[in-house]
């Protein structure tokens, strides 16, 4: 309508702009991810907490957001409830999800173009933070991917029907044999 050509379809953009839809697409593709649950209302908060294993710390995410904004470290139910209430006060229509916290010294951003890995970088966790976004102050480093990580990243890209994508994952302890935990595409 506006004379702008996009590389990925509107469908792909919709899936990738919503962390819950992103999680669901990768779950259907059988990809390994941190345990994740949608928060529907503060009155039934025990249900999603139980779905992700019931352990603190955990991660709270708004369904929309980029560059680590809207991703919060939660260390107790009291903090979780207060944070949900605050977010709902600002915008009662904002979707939120919780995710098990997987401690890692770094995560990986992989660029996938037409079902081929064309680039990757290691993103160390920022000093004094739990996030590894370059926009949050971390300095990217070089990393070589295993064949398993490459094939799983291509699968992640295919799960959202994308052509040119950034795929984020937490590496497994045995990178050659165990698939990574996918954070988002």
């Amino acid at each position: 309508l506006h004379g702008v050509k996009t590389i990925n379809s509107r469908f792909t953009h919709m899936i990738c702009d919503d962390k819950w839809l992103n999680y669901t697409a990768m779950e259907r593709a059988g990809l390994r991810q941190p345990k994740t649950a949608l928060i529907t209302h503060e009155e039934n908060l025990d249900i999603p907490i139980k779905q992700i294993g019931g352990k603190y710390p955990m991660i709270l995410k708004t369904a929309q957001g980029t560059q680590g904004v809207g991703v919060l470290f939660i260390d107790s139910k009291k903090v979780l409830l207060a944070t949900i209430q605050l977010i709902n006060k600002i915008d009662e229509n904002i979707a939120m999800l919780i995710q098990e916290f997987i401690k890692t010294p770094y995560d990986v951003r992989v660029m996938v173009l037409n079902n081929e890995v064309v680039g990757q970088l290691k993103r160390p966790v920022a000093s004094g933070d739990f996030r590894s976004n370059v926009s949050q102050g971390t300095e990217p480093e070089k990393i070589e991917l295993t064949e398993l990580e490459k094939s799983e990243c291509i699968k992640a890209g295919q799960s959202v029907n994308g052509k040119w994508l950034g795929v984020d994952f937490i590496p497994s302890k045995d990178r050659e044999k165990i698939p990574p935990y996918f954070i988002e595409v």
Side-chain angles (χ1 to χ4, degrees):
L1 291 173
H2 300 286
V4 177
K5 184 163 183 78
T6 61
I7 294 169
N8 291 314
S9 70
R10 205 173 109 223
F11 172 81
T12 299
H13 280 277
M14 181 183 74
I15 298 295
C16 292
D17 286 344
D18 184 310
K19 289 177 175 52
W20 179 250
L21 293 177
N22 205 252
Y23 170 79
T24 303
M26 289 194 288
E27 183 180 47
R28 285 186 178 160
L31 294 161
R32 189 172 184 224
Q33 299 177 83
K35 292 177 194 156
T36 303
L38 190 64
I39 294 176
T40 56
H41 197 277
E42 67 183 64
E43 289 175 4
N44 65 4
L45 200 50
D46 288 335
I47 295 169
I49 291 171
K50 186 177 179 183
Q51 288 173 328
I52 69 163
K55 292 187 240 168
Y56 293 91
M58 63 179 59
I59 302 299
L60 172 68
K61 295 180 177 183
T62 55
Q64 277 76 34
T66 61
Q67 301 177 332
V69 176
V71 178
L72 302 151
F73 184 85
I74 302 295
D75 60 4
S76 70
K77 185 173 181 181
K78 184 177 178 179
V79 171
L80 177 61
L81 183 58
T83 305
I84 290 168
Q85 290 170 338
L86 176 63
I87 292 170
N88 280 329
K89 184 175 175 93
I90 295 166
D91 182 351
E92 64 185 33
N93 296 314
I94 211 159
M96 292 174 271
L97 51 103
I98 54 174
Q99 208 165 53
E100 75 174 307
F101 174 65
I102 298 173
K103 189 169 177 58
T104 183
Y106 68 94
D107 72 12
V108 179
R109 162 71 53 89
V110 178
M111 297 307 299
V112 176
L113 176 62
N114 292 325
N115 296 320
E116 183 181 334
V117 171
V118 295
Q120 65 273 337
L121 55 86
K122 177 180 181 177
R123 303 183 308 179
V125 169
S127 178
D129 203 340
F130 67 97
R131 296 170 294 180
S132 57
N133 305 77
V134 173
S135 61
Q136 298 297 328
T138 190
E139 289 293 323
E141 301 172 6
K142 291 181 179 181
I143 189 171
E144 289 295 320
L145 299 182
T146 66
E147 290 304 313
L148 175 61
E149 290 168 337
K150 288 179 188 176
S151 67
E152 291 290 293
C153 285
I154 291 167
K155 214 164 127 179
Q158 291 169 340
S159 77
V160 300
N161 226 14
K163 298 197 181 317
W164 185 16
L165 306 152
V167 177
D168 297 345
F169 71 78
I170 297 170
S172 66
K173 293 194 188 315
D174 184 349
R175 295 177 51 213
E176 296 286 337
K177 295 179 183 169
I178 301 172
Y181 288 98
F182 284 95
I183 303 167
E184 64 184 320
V185 179

